[in-house]
Short mmCIF file of all heavy atoms in Angstrom, two decimals:
data_model
loop_
_atom_site.label_atom_id
_atom_site.label_comp_id
_atom_site.label_asym_id
_atom_site.label_seq_id
_atom_site.Cartn_x
_atom_site.Cartn_y
_atom_site.Cartn_z
N THR R 45 -2.39 12.37 -9.19
CA THR R 45 -1.51 11.25 -9.36
C THR R 45 -1.09 11.10 -10.80
O THR R 45 0.09 10.94 -11.10
CB THR R 45 -2.14 9.95 -8.83
OG1 THR R 45 -2.48 10.12 -7.44
CG2 THR R 45 -1.18 8.75 -8.96
N LEU R 46 -2.08 11.15 -11.69
CA LEU R 46 -1.80 11.07 -13.13
C LEU R 46 -0.98 12.26 -13.57
O LEU R 46 -0.07 12.14 -14.39
CB LEU R 46 -3.05 10.91 -13.93
CG LEU R 46 -3.79 9.62 -13.80
CD1 LEU R 46 -5.11 9.66 -14.57
CD2 LEU R 46 -2.92 8.46 -14.35
N TYR R 47 -1.36 13.41 -13.12
CA TYR R 47 -0.68 14.65 -13.50
C TYR R 47 0.84 14.61 -13.13
O TYR R 47 1.69 15.05 -13.88
CB TYR R 47 -1.31 15.88 -12.85
CG TYR R 47 -0.74 17.18 -13.20
CD1 TYR R 47 -0.99 17.80 -14.45
CD2 TYR R 47 0.11 17.87 -12.32
CE1 TYR R 47 -0.44 19.04 -14.79
CE2 TYR R 47 0.63 19.08 -12.67
CZ TYR R 47 0.35 19.67 -13.87
OH TYR R 47 0.94 20.85 -14.23
N ASN R 48 1.11 14.03 -11.99
CA ASN R 48 2.51 13.96 -11.52
C ASN R 48 3.35 12.97 -12.35
O ASN R 48 4.57 12.99 -12.21
CB ASN R 48 2.57 13.68 -10.03
CG ASN R 48 2.06 14.82 -9.18
OD1 ASN R 48 2.16 15.96 -9.57
ND2 ASN R 48 1.50 14.55 -8.02
N THR R 49 2.71 12.13 -13.14
CA THR R 49 3.46 11.19 -13.93
C THR R 49 3.91 11.81 -15.29
O THR R 49 4.67 11.26 -16.00
CB THR R 49 2.65 9.91 -14.23
OG1 THR R 49 1.50 10.27 -14.98
CG2 THR R 49 2.27 9.19 -13.00
N LEU R 50 3.31 13.00 -15.57
CA LEU R 50 3.62 13.69 -16.85
C LEU R 50 4.96 14.42 -16.80
O LEU R 50 5.38 14.89 -15.78
CB LEU R 50 2.49 14.67 -17.22
CG LEU R 50 1.07 14.13 -17.33
CD1 LEU R 50 0.12 15.26 -17.53
CD2 LEU R 50 0.99 13.15 -18.51
N SER R 51 5.55 14.49 -18.01
CA SER R 51 6.78 15.33 -18.08
C SER R 51 6.38 16.78 -18.16
O SER R 51 5.21 17.12 -18.29
CB SER R 51 7.55 14.94 -19.33
OG SER R 51 6.83 15.30 -20.51
N LYS R 52 7.37 17.59 -18.10
CA LYS R 52 7.15 19.09 -18.11
C LYS R 52 6.47 19.51 -19.43
O LYS R 52 5.52 20.31 -19.45
CB LYS R 52 8.46 19.87 -17.94
CG LYS R 52 8.24 21.33 -17.82
CD LYS R 52 9.51 22.07 -17.52
CE LYS R 52 9.21 23.57 -17.42
NZ LYS R 52 10.31 24.32 -16.97
N GLU R 53 6.89 18.95 -20.54
CA GLU R 53 6.29 19.25 -21.86
C GLU R 53 4.84 18.79 -21.91
O GLU R 53 3.96 19.46 -22.46
CB GLU R 53 7.11 18.66 -22.98
CG GLU R 53 8.51 19.20 -23.14
CD GLU R 53 9.49 18.62 -22.12
OE1 GLU R 53 9.29 17.46 -21.61
OE2 GLU R 53 10.53 19.28 -21.86
N GLN R 54 4.60 17.61 -21.36
CA GLN R 54 3.20 17.06 -21.38
C GLN R 54 2.31 17.88 -20.44
O GLN R 54 1.16 18.15 -20.81
CB GLN R 54 3.20 15.64 -20.90
CG GLN R 54 3.85 14.68 -21.89
CD GLN R 54 4.09 13.30 -21.30
OE1 GLN R 54 4.21 13.11 -20.07
NE2 GLN R 54 4.17 12.32 -22.19
N LYS R 55 2.85 18.37 -19.30
CA LYS R 55 2.07 19.21 -18.39
C LYS R 55 1.64 20.50 -19.06
O LYS R 55 0.55 21.00 -18.77
CB LYS R 55 2.83 19.50 -17.08
CG LYS R 55 2.98 18.32 -16.19
CD LYS R 55 3.77 18.60 -14.94
CE LYS R 55 3.91 17.39 -14.05
NZ LYS R 55 4.69 17.68 -12.82
N GLU R 56 2.49 21.01 -19.91
CA GLU R 56 2.18 22.24 -20.63
C GLU R 56 1.01 22.08 -21.63
O GLU R 56 0.39 23.12 -22.04
CB GLU R 56 3.39 22.83 -21.34
CG GLU R 56 4.43 23.35 -20.30
CD GLU R 56 5.72 23.72 -20.95
OE1 GLU R 56 5.86 23.60 -22.19
OE2 GLU R 56 6.63 24.20 -20.19
N GLN R 57 0.72 20.85 -22.03
CA GLN R 57 -0.44 20.60 -22.92
C GLN R 57 -1.72 20.60 -22.20
O GLN R 57 -2.77 20.70 -22.87
CB GLN R 57 -0.21 19.25 -23.64
CG GLN R 57 0.99 19.27 -24.56
CD GLN R 57 1.22 17.95 -25.25
OE1 GLN R 57 0.35 17.07 -25.22
NE2 GLN R 57 2.40 17.79 -25.84
N ILE R 58 -1.70 20.53 -20.87
CA ILE R 58 -2.93 20.61 -20.06
C ILE R 58 -3.35 22.07 -20.06
O ILE R 58 -2.51 22.95 -19.83
CB ILE R 58 -2.69 20.15 -18.61
CG1 ILE R 58 -2.14 18.74 -18.58
CG2 ILE R 58 -3.98 20.27 -17.80
CD1 ILE R 58 -3.08 17.62 -18.94
N PRO R 59 -4.60 22.41 -20.34
CA PRO R 59 -5.03 23.83 -20.32
C PRO R 59 -4.70 24.44 -19.00
O PRO R 59 -4.86 23.86 -17.92
CB PRO R 59 -6.52 23.75 -20.52
CG PRO R 59 -6.76 22.49 -21.22
CD PRO R 59 -5.72 21.53 -20.72
N GLN R 60 -4.24 25.71 -19.07
CA GLN R 60 -3.80 26.36 -17.87
C GLN R 60 -4.95 26.57 -16.83
O GLN R 60 -4.68 26.46 -15.61
CB GLN R 60 -3.27 27.82 -18.22
CG GLN R 60 -2.71 28.53 -17.01
CD GLN R 60 -2.18 29.88 -17.36
OE1 GLN R 60 -2.24 30.35 -18.49
NE2 GLN R 60 -1.50 30.52 -16.38
N VAL R 61 -6.17 26.69 -17.22
CA VAL R 61 -7.26 26.82 -16.34
C VAL R 61 -7.37 25.55 -15.47
O VAL R 61 -7.61 25.64 -14.25
CB VAL R 61 -8.59 27.03 -17.15
CG1 VAL R 61 -9.76 26.97 -16.17
CG2 VAL R 61 -8.56 28.32 -17.87
N LEU R 62 -7.17 24.42 -16.07
CA LEU R 62 -7.28 23.11 -15.35
C LEU R 62 -6.10 23.00 -14.40
O LEU R 62 -6.21 22.52 -13.26
CB LEU R 62 -7.39 22.01 -16.26
CG LEU R 62 -8.60 21.93 -17.18
CD1 LEU R 62 -8.55 20.74 -18.06
CD2 LEU R 62 -9.86 21.98 -16.35
N ARG R 63 -4.92 23.39 -14.87
CA ARG R 63 -3.68 23.22 -13.97
C ARG R 63 -3.82 24.18 -12.80
O ARG R 63 -3.45 23.75 -11.65
CB ARG R 63 -2.44 23.63 -14.79
CG ARG R 63 -1.97 22.55 -15.76
CD ARG R 63 -0.73 22.94 -16.45
NE ARG R 63 -1.00 23.97 -17.46
CZ ARG R 63 -0.12 24.80 -17.94
NH1 ARG R 63 1.11 24.81 -17.50
NH2 ARG R 63 -0.44 25.65 -18.90
N VAL R 64 -4.29 25.39 -13.04
CA VAL R 64 -4.45 26.33 -11.90
C VAL R 64 -5.46 25.80 -10.94
O VAL R 64 -5.26 25.85 -9.71
CB VAL R 64 -4.82 27.72 -12.40
CG1 VAL R 64 -5.25 28.67 -11.27
CG2 VAL R 64 -3.65 28.34 -13.15
N TRP R 65 -6.59 25.28 -11.40
CA TRP R 65 -7.62 24.78 -10.54
C TRP R 65 -7.02 23.61 -9.68
O TRP R 65 -7.28 23.54 -8.48
CB TRP R 65 -8.85 24.33 -11.28
CG TRP R 65 -9.95 23.94 -10.43
CD1 TRP R 65 -11.00 24.76 -9.98
CD2 TRP R 65 -10.23 22.64 -9.81
NE1 TRP R 65 -11.78 24.05 -9.13
CE2 TRP R 65 -11.40 22.76 -9.01
CE3 TRP R 65 -9.57 21.43 -9.85
CZ2 TRP R 65 -11.92 21.70 -8.30
CZ3 TRP R 65 -10.12 20.39 -9.14
CH2 TRP R 65 -11.26 20.53 -8.35
N LEU R 66 -6.37 22.70 -10.34
CA LEU R 66 -5.80 21.56 -9.61
C LEU R 66 -4.86 21.97 -8.51
O LEU R 66 -4.90 21.51 -7.39
CB LEU R 66 -5.11 20.63 -10.61
CG LEU R 66 -4.58 19.35 -9.96
CD1 LEU R 66 -5.68 18.43 -9.45
CD2 LEU R 66 -3.74 18.61 -11.00
N ARG R 67 -3.96 22.90 -8.84
CA ARG R 67 -2.98 23.37 -7.84
C ARG R 67 -3.63 24.15 -6.74
O ARG R 67 -3.39 23.96 -5.56
CB ARG R 67 -1.89 24.21 -8.58
CG ARG R 67 -0.77 24.68 -7.62
CD ARG R 67 0.30 25.39 -8.35
NE ARG R 67 -0.21 26.54 -9.11
CZ ARG R 67 -0.17 26.64 -10.49
NH1 ARG R 67 0.33 25.67 -11.17
NH2 ARG R 67 -0.67 27.71 -11.05
N TYR R 68 -4.58 25.08 -7.09
CA TYR R 68 -5.22 25.89 -6.08
C TYR R 68 -6.02 25.07 -5.09
O TYR R 68 -5.96 25.18 -3.94
CB TYR R 68 -6.11 26.90 -6.78
CG TYR R 68 -6.85 27.82 -5.86
CD1 TYR R 68 -6.28 28.81 -5.12
CD2 TYR R 68 -8.20 27.65 -5.73
CE1 TYR R 68 -6.98 29.65 -4.33
CE2 TYR R 68 -8.97 28.47 -4.89
CZ TYR R 68 -8.32 29.48 -4.22
OH TYR R 68 -9.09 30.31 -3.38
N ARG R 69 -6.83 24.14 -5.62
CA ARG R 69 -7.67 23.26 -4.77
C ARG R 69 -6.79 22.37 -3.96
O ARG R 69 -7.08 22.05 -2.79
CB ARG R 69 -8.67 22.49 -5.57
CG ARG R 69 -9.74 23.29 -6.26
CD ARG R 69 -10.60 23.97 -5.24
NE ARG R 69 -11.66 24.75 -5.88
CZ ARG R 69 -11.65 26.06 -6.03
NH1 ARG R 69 -10.67 26.78 -5.60
NH2 ARG R 69 -12.62 26.70 -6.63
#
Side-chain angles (χ1 to χ4, degrees):
T45 300
L46 288 175
Y47 181 79
N48 289 332
T49 64
L50 299 175
S51 68
K52 184 174 182 174
E53 294 79 23
Q54 293 169 334
K55 287 179 181 180
E56 290 173 359
Q57 294 179 14
I58 305 288
Q60 184 177 7
V61 172
L62 298 179
R63 285 184 284 159
V64 168
W65 187 91
L66 182 65
R67 184 174 56 246
Y68 178 72
R69 293 297 181 257

